[in-house]
Amino acid sequence: MPLLFVTFSATLGIDMARLSMLISVNCVTQLVVDVLAGKYVDRIGYRPCIIAAHVPRRPVC
């Protein structure tokens, strides 16, 4: 993705500050989800979470 920053900036009209903010928000969100998921997995166990991760999902479109 970092190699595409110039392309995103030119094509979509997004400046580097907004791209940096998007990346920061994504990183913080991922960290929060990882912490919450870890607590959830500790409560219900690893096996149900592994099985649920492999359940196929329907496409949204």
Side-chain angles (χ1 to χ4, degrees), residues 3-26:
L3 296 174
L4 296 175
F5 284 174
V6 175
T7 305
F8 288 156
S9 179
T11 305
L12 302 174
I14 301 173
D15 59 346
M16 292 296 173
R18 288 188 186 240
L19 285 172
S20 299
M21 182 58 72
L22 288 171
I23 292 167
S24 299
V25 169
N26 185 21

Side-chain angles (χ1 to χ4, degrees), residues 1-58:
M1 286 302 261
L3 296 174
L4 296 175
F5 284 174
V6 175
T7 305
F8 288 156
S9 179
T11 305
L12 302 174
I14 301 173
D15 59 346
M16 292 296 173
R18 288 188 186 240
L19 285 172
S20 299
M21 182 58 72
L22 288 171
I23 292 167
S24 299
V25 169
N26 185 21
C27 182
V28 169
T29 302
Q30 185 66 46
L31 289 172
V32 169
V33 168
D34 288 346
V35 168
L36 294 176
K39 291 182 180 186
Y40 183 72
V41 167
D42 286 340
R43 188 180 316 157
I44 67 167
Y46 291 98
R47 185 177 174 90
C49 293
I50 292 171
I51 292 170
H54 287 87
V55 172
R57 294 172 190 72
R58 290 184 353 183

